[in-house]
Amino acid sequence: MKKKFRKLLPLLTLILFIFITVNPTKAESVFLKCRSPLKYINYKTSGFVGSYATALSGSLNHWATIPQVSVGTKSSAANTLTASYYSDSWYGLNSMTCSGSQLKKSAIKINTRTIGKKTNNILEETTFARSTITHEIAHSFGLADNPTPNSPNKSIMNHSRNRLSVYNLTSYDKANIDKLY
């Protein structure tokens, strides 16, 4: 019996490894307690010029491809999305006002100082800013940061993602939006 088990052990280990690799995110979905009760959010924007205007446009165009939700701009919107020079060390910040589980107001700030210091040229700055904008908007739809070691690095919500290659929602993020909407 022990000999059979020893022979099967490598096969069982391989099957377990494949199962874990194929299903790595089942327990990793992390949602905020507060999210937009609607499937759309409009933002009043300010400070988006040059590469930041391009980044905003790219992010909004990407959000337009997500069938479950919609993001737009409107000068009278209560939600704000601002690109500016802040002395803080964060790249982006979404200050959300909630009533129970419902988002009432979202105030997103994009820090041009820290993004500019982290990038080498306009293309990198645009891509980095787009990743940050997309990430911050995703918070408004209920996606939480998932910086745990077991979370997928390809998630837009992962703090350690490569912001120059992960600047859109990934299949993992889309599946999480699907769960909420």
Side-chain angles (χ1 to χ4, degrees), residues 41-157:
I41 298 177
N42 285 317
Y43 286 95
K44 178 180 179 180
T45 62
S46 64
F48 287 91
V49 296
S51 60
Y52 289 86
T54 304
L56 176 62
S57 176
S59 180
L60 293 177
N61 287 338
H62 172 68
W63 277 102
T65 69
I66 310 302
Q68 302 90 328
V69 295
S70 174
V71 180
T73 60
K74 191 174 184 180
S75 61
S76 62
N79 304 306
T80 58
L81 181 52
T82 306
S84 190
Y85 188 97
Y86 300 97
S87 60
D88 300 293
S89 61
W90 42 261
Y91 303 124
L93 181 68
N94 187 340
S95 299
M96 296 169 43
T97 304
C98 302
S99 177
S101 64
Q102 292 191 354
L103 175 69
K104 294 298 180 187
K105 185 178 178 187
S106 167
I108 296 175
K109 296 177 181 177
I110 305 301
N111 194 341
T112 60
R113 183 187 70 81
T114 54
I115 292 173
K117 284 175 67 174
K118 193 74 175 174
T119 56
N120 298 312
N121 56 54
I122 295 294
L123 179 59
E124 282 188 4
E125 187 173 30
T126 301
T127 306
F128 203 101
R130 177 175 170 172
S131 179
T132 304
I133 293 164
T134 303
H135 172 97
E136 296 305 332
I137 291 172
H139 282 312
S140 296
F141 286 116
L143 297 189
D145 294 325
N146 55 23
T148 63
N150 294 329
S151 64
N153 189 38
K154 292 289 187 181
S155 170
I156 194 75
M157 302 312 292

